[in-house]
Amino acid sequence: GLFNIAAGQPSSVNDLARTINRLIGTNIEPEYAPERPGEVKHSAADISRARELLGFEPAVRFEEGLAETIEWYRNR
């Protein structure tokens, strides 16, 4: 079967930009463009099936995982 494996909480692209700015010490403003046809406005992975059948629970908070990802890229 298929399972969504995610943080279990929605976050926006704006949240992502703010968090990256905070973690790397920048203040880069997002550039907004007109909406594209068919673009998904809101999306969040439902992890209830993974919880129920696999006992899955997110072990790392979004910001912590993002910080680890940034560190991985810095070391390459």
Side-chain angles (χ1 to χ4, degrees):
L2 300 174
F3 298 91
N4 285 324
I5 304 298
Q9 297 179 350
S11 60
S12 70
V13 174
N14 287 325
D15 293 334
L16 177 62
R18 280 190 294 271
T19 304
I20 290 172
N21 273 327
R22 186 172 57 254
L23 291 172
I24 65 174
T26 57
N27 191 22
I28 299 168
E29 291 293 323
E31 290 184 22
Y32 296 95
E35 182 179 317
R36 296 176 293 187
E39 190 165 18
V40 176
K41 292 182 183 181
H42 303 284
S43 175
D46 177 1
I47 64 170
S48 60
R49 187 164 185 247
R51 275 190 172 123
E52 179 184 329
L53 298 176
L54 303 176
F56 171 77
E57 286 298 329
V60 177
R61 289 181 8 260
F62 170 74
E63 186 170 336
E64 180 185 350
L66 189 54
E68 289 180 17
T69 301
I70 289 168
E71 188 62 28
W72 185 88
Y73 277 103
R74 283 182 170 157
N75 290 322
R76 279 162 183 65

